[in-house]
Amino acid sequence: MEITLQYFDGCPNWEILDHRIAEALHGRTDASIIRQRVGTTEEAVRLGFHGSPTILIDGIDPFAEPSAPVGLACRVFRTPNGLAGSPTLEQLHAVFSEARS
């Protein structure tokens, strides 16, 4: 499983997501993590970047909503406790388990 964490400089939430990804993957040997800085609007459009932070699992954004805009913007995620700047640890466990099957 290849996990890509996309972000832009100045995003207050990408490091939180980075730590949660590491925690969710602790002890697993079937995953690699790539951190990809998105620096320009053009690059964001080319990548289909839905905002910072974005997590891709084998190239798929499991949290993308169909109407999500593309560009350099902060991103929010639907969590059981409302909107947040990062998915919860439990949500990450669920998408990683699903990707494995």
Side-chain angles (χ1 to χ4, degrees), residues 53-89:
T54 287
I55 182 173
L56 304 176
I57 301 173
D58 295 327
I60 306 292
D61 183 343
F63 298 103
E65 297 192 16
S67 62
V70 172
L72 286 180
C74 290
R75 181 173 181 174
V76 293
F77 296 84
R78 295 184 190 283
T79 73
N81 297 322
L83 296 177
S86 171
T88 65
L89 188 57

Side-chain angles (χ1 to χ4, degrees), residues 4 12 22 32 39 43 45-46 57 60 62 66 78 83 87 91 93 98 101:
T4 303
S32 63
E43 186 177 15
V45 170
R46 181 178 55 79
I57 301 173
I60 306 292
R78 295 184 190 283
L83 296 177
Q91 288 175 304
H93 280 296
E98 189 175 303
S101 24

Side-chain angles (χ1 to χ4, degrees), residues 10-99:
C11 170
N13 295 309
W14 82 267
E15 290 182 17
I16 293 167
L17 181 52
D18 191 32
H19 290 292
R20 287 183 183 167
I21 290 169
E23 188 175 344
L25 294 174
H26 181 75
R28 290 185 57 171
T29 59
D30 64 337
S32 63
I33 302 171
I34 299 166
R35 290 161 190 87
Q36 182 180 33
R37 186 180 147 288
V38 180
T40 66
T41 300
E42 294 78 16
E43 186 177 15
V45 170
R46 181 178 55 79
L47 294 170
F49 180 62
H50 291 286
S52 184
T54 287
I55 182 173
L56 304 176
I57 301 173
D58 295 327
I60 306 292
D61 183 343
F63 298 103
E65 297 192 16
S67 62
V70 172
L72 286 180
C74 290
R75 181 173 181 174
V76 293
F77 296 84
R78 295 184 190 283
T79 73
N81 297 322
L83 296 177
S86 171
T88 65
L89 188 57
E90 292 77 18
Q91 288 175 304
L92 292 172
H93 280 296
V95 295
F96 293 157
S97 292
E98 189 175 303

